[in-house]
Structure formats: C-alpha cells, structure tokens
Amino acid sequence: MIAQAFRAAFPHTIPILAGFGFLGMAYGIYMNVSGFSFVYPMLMSLLIYGGSLEFVAVSMLLAPFAPVQTLIMAVLIQARHIFYGISMLEKLRGIGWKKIYLIFGLCDETFSINYTAHIPDNVDKGWFMLWVTALNQFYWFTAATLGGILGSFLSFSTKGLDFVMTAMFTVIFLEQWLKERAHHASVIGLGSTIVSLAVFGPEKFMLPAMALILLCLALFKKPVERGLAE
C-alpha cells in the first residue's frame, strides 16, 4: 500500500523537484553569502519550510532584534495557508496520524497537487498525500542544504543573488495574472503595495501593505469571488 502510493505520487512531484532544486540551491547560497553556515538553511528548511518566509528570514536575522515585528511579518506572509487549510479540511478527514504532518508540510505546491490530483481508487488517499508532502519537503531540504554547502566553494561573485526572491515573486504574480479572468485580487495587491510604499517608504512599507491587502480582500470578498468565478 505504501509503495503503491509512492509510485502514484512521485510523478506528480517531478515539476516541483525541478523548481525546488533551483530555488532551494539559490536560497542555500544566499544564506551562505549572507554569512550563515549551511546548518541554517538545513534547519530552516526542516522547521520553517516556507520558501518565501525563509528568504525574508535572512534579512530578519541580519536586522536589529525585533521579535514582535518578525512574528507579525511571518504570520502575514504565511496567512494564505489559513485558506489552504480550510480548503483541505474535507480531504484530511479520516486519515489519522498523517494529518499532523500534512498540516505542517502544507505549502503552495503541495496544496496544488493534493487538492487537484486524481488519486486512483486502488491507492490510499492518506499515503498519497503524505508522499507528495514528504517528497516536496525533501526536495527543498536537500537543495537548500546543498546550496548552503556549495556556497562556501563559490569563487565567482554572488552579488545580486538576493534578487532571486524578487524574481520568484514576479514570476508567480505574472503566472497568476495570466490565469485570472478578472484581476480584482491582483489590482488590490498592486494598489495596496503602491499606496503603502508612497506613505511609509521603502524601509517600512511591507507590513502595512500586507495588512491593507488582507483588509481590502475581506471588504471586497464578494466582488473578488465573483471575478474568480467568471
């Protein structure tokens, strides 16, 4: 049963292996050139396991000690997982102890696979989702750790490597924009960010922008949902 679920789950994770391989390595190298040993990306990929948050955590670790701001930033960055979790409630019903790890290991890519994949009738649903989750985290953990180790041996300049995070978010945004039939949510995100940047400046706009985005999405929930349904 376990091996059968693995064989069914693995092909679904191959595209994630390619993406996580590159981004994880970039993250590990970024951590190394920022002054951290490979132990940091290794442990963070195991314990935090949130790609966007892990990239942002680099600047948090280098900034002055601000635990409250760090907590708020982390919650806002990962707030989308609340909606992922609500959507997965029915699918996680009745799978026993596996639910604990599935909740912890839920990320954008894993959610996309586990929520939409057609699981064969002869494959155990719980083991299928567990393998998808475990494989995806293993890809990220391995790539981040290798990047942290290899970063010590790089002889070429890694200046500007931190731009990989900006590039990643830009690509994600563009892909989402192309998939949308209506762009209410994207416009809210852009507008909130521009307003917050103008009001608070480049050093302090992040938290206000995220808070404003969440507020606008809550206030305009129905128009946004109608736009997504069109």
Side-chain angles (χ1 to χ4, degrees):
M1 177 177 63
I2 298 175
Q4 188 179 37
F6 175 84
R7 288 193 295 270
F10 176 68
H12 291 273
T13 68
I14 292 176
I16 311 304
L17 169 60
F20 276 13
F22 174 77
L23 284 175
M25 288 278 287
Y27 165 64
I29 295 171
Y30 178 39
M31 285 288 288
N32 184 273
V33 299
S34 297
F36 299 98
S37 76
F38 77 92
V39 175
Y40 280 83
M42 180 179 71
L43 292 179
M44 290 169 70
S45 62
L46 280 176
L47 302 176
I48 297 177
Y49 186 43
S52 53
L53 179 57
E54 288 179 57
F55 271 101
V56 175
V58 179
S59 59
M60 292 180 181
L61 289 171
L62 294 173
F65 184 63
V68 175
Q69 182 177 355
T70 299
L71 174 62
I72 295 173
M73 176 78 79
V75 170
L76 290 175
I77 290 175
Q78 301 298 94
R80 65 190 186 281
H81 287 207
I82 297 174
F83 303 100
Y84 293 168
I86 293 173
S87 301
M88 290 294 293
L89 284 177
E90 186 61 34
K91 290 183 176 292
L92 295 179
R93 194 182 305 276
I95 63 173
W97 60 269
K98 303 179 190 70
K99 182 187 298 184
I100 297 173
Y101 177 63
L102 290 174
I103 292 172
F104 165 76
L106 187 65
C107 66
D108 300 359
E109 295 78 9
T110 297
F111 168 78
S112 178
I113 295 174
N114 283 339
Y115 190 79
T116 61
H118 175 70
I119 304 174
D121 294 334
N122 61 337
V123 173
D124 181 85
K125 178 182 70 172
W127 278 109
F128 177 92
M129 292 193 293
L130 186 72
W131 275 122
V132 169
T133 306
L135 284 169
N136 286 346
Q137 184 171 14
F138 176 73
Y139 301 152
W140 181 259
F141 163 77
T142 304
T145 304
L146 286 175
I149 295 173
L150 294 175
S152 303
F153 301 98
L154 294 179
S155 57
F156 57 86
S157 174
T158 56
K159 183 179 180 181
L161 183 64
D162 53 333
F163 185 74
V164 69
M165 183 176 68
T166 304
M168 178 183 69
F169 286 130
T170 301
V171 171
I172 291 173
F173 173 79
L174 290 175
E175 287 184 349
Q176 187 62 35
W177 180 276
L178 293 173
K179 290 178 182 177
E180 293 173 343
R181 294 184 178 179
H183 305 295
H184 299 95
S186 298
V187 171
I188 286 175
L190 283 174
S192 300
T193 302
I194 293 171
V195 169
S196 299
L197 182 61
V199 173
F200 298 98
E203 300 297 327
K204 298 180 179 180
F205 82 97
M206 184 72 74
L207 288 178
M210 291 184 173
L212 185 57
I213 290 171
L214 289 177
L215 177 62
C216 290
L217 288 175
L219 291 175
F220 301 102
K221 179 183 177 182
K222 291 184 177 179
V224 169
E225 289 179 342
R226 283 198 301 269
L228 294 174
E230 289 178 358

